[in-house]
Amino acid sequence: DTAVSQTPKYLVTQMGNDKSIKCEQNLGHDTMYWYKQDSKKFLKIMFSYNNKELIINETVPNRFSPKSPDKAHLNLHINSLELGDSAVYFCASSRRGSIAGANVLTFGAGSRLTVL
Amino acid sequence: GQQLNQSPQSMFIQEGEDVSMNCTSSSIFNTWLWYKQDPGEGPVLLIALYKAGELTSNGRLTAQFGITRKDSFLNISASIPSDVGIYFCAGPNDMRFGAGTRLTVKP
């Protein structure tokens, strides 16, 4: 049973479209995250939710909107897709301060978004 | 936020060679985390370090928490093809990752 699962794994779409990526974790963690990994493989934090509340909101265009219906889910909705949004998006979860005060993350397998 | 500098950016080595990589921070950490990302997968935690000077091993991997608390090192001994991937360092809470070290192992 996958600990952090995200769907879809691959998404190809046209510029200007709106799309969503879903994420679910079954680890009982209280914090969930979205990361963007670009073509150079840099991993950049976008958002973090703790118990359904937004706690990290990095400089991300307003076109990106996370939604957390409950602690086990964090979905990412992207409006008006642009070419530069093409990347792999990773969902992750943690139990806040789980090991010696550190947030140890469990990642999903990633969702590769290609905008044409 | 914290700045993490990871080096080298990439390494191409022969199977059986040892590998060393490091990470430095602009601020003092109380925990260092090392993750590995296999091709096509998400990163997975390899080793966590909790105090300055600590040396921790996980099989052929050894990681050290620098005594200044601003750096950490990861060593891989006798590399094998499945060591291929990207190795990331991370601090305790900032949720930022280093730029990664991309390791290629030639059989």
Side-chain angles (χ1 to χ4, degrees), chain A residues 22-67:
Chain A
K22 296 186 175 181
C23 181
E24 176 182 5
Q25 55 95 4
N26 63 6
L27 298 167
H29 287 168
D30 56 6
T31 307
M32 295 185 73
Y33 312 81
W34 277 107
Y35 282 82
K36 179 181 180 181
Q37 187 171 46
D38 60 21
S39 57
K40 294 183 178 176
K41 307 298 184 185
F42 296 136
L43 260 179
K44 188 174 177 191
I45 179 79
M46 299 173 70
F47 301 103
S48 172
Y49 269 74
N50 176 252
N51 286 319
K52 299 189 338 178
E53 287 194 29
L54 183 65
I55 55 171
I56 293 177
N57 185 1
E58 291 292 300
T59 307
V60 174
N62 291 341
R63 300 181 295 102
F64 289 79
S65 53
K67 285 189 171 52

Side-chain angles (χ1 to χ4, degrees), chain B residues 7 21-22 54 57-58 65 73-74 93 98 100 105:
Chain B
S7 66
M21 60 190 79
N22 68 81
E54 178 183 359
S57 292
N58 179 1
F65 194 144
F73 306 87
L74 178 69
N93 296 311
V105 180

Side-chain angles (χ1 to χ4, degrees), chain A residues 59-99:
Chain A
T59 307
V60 174
N62 291 341
R63 300 181 295 102
F64 289 79
S65 53
K67 285 189 171 52
S68 181
D70 54 56
K71 284 197 311 184
H73 295 84
L74 181 62
N75 303 323
L76 183 65
H77 189 76
I78 316 171
N79 289 329
S80 303
L81 279 157
E82 299 178 357
L83 293 177
D85 297 333
S86 295
V88 181
Y89 292 84
F90 285 99
C91 177
S93 71
S94 74
R95 183 167 289 119
R96 202 159 170 76
S98 50
I99 298 182

Side-chain angles (χ1 to χ4, degrees), chain B residues 6 11 24 33 36 40 53 55 64 77 101:
Chain B
Q6 193 170 347
M11 303 183 75
T24 59
L33 305 170
K36 182 195 177 195
L55 192 70
Q64 181 158 26
S77 62
T101 295

Side-chain angles (χ1 to χ4, degrees), chain B residues 2-86:
Chain B
Q2 296 154 349
Q3 290 272 65
L4 283 176
N5 294 306
Q6 193 170 347
S7 66
Q9 189 175 13
S10 59
M11 303 183 75
F12 297 83
I13 62 167
Q14 207 71 38
E15 184 177 358
E17 289 181 6
D18 297 343
V19 171
S20 287
M21 60 190 79
N22 68 81
C23 202
T24 59
S25 166
S26 58
S27 51
I28 289 174
F29 282 176
N30 54 20
T31 309
W32 278 99
L33 305 170
W34 284 94
Y35 290 80
K36 182 195 177 195
Q37 184 179 19
D38 287 327
E41 300 292 331
V44 173
L45 182 71
L46 290 176
I47 289 182
L49 300 160
Y50 307 119
K51 61 181 186 179
E54 178 183 359
L55 192 70
T56 297
S57 292
N58 179 1
R60 293 176 297 103
L61 273 60
T62 302
Q64 181 158 26
F65 194 144
I67 56 173
T68 65
R69 295 172 62 193
K70 287 188 172 184
D71 56 6
S72 179
F73 306 87
L74 178 69
N75 297 315
I76 306 172
S77 62
S79 58
I80 58 177
S82 63
D83 290 333
V84 162
I86 307 174

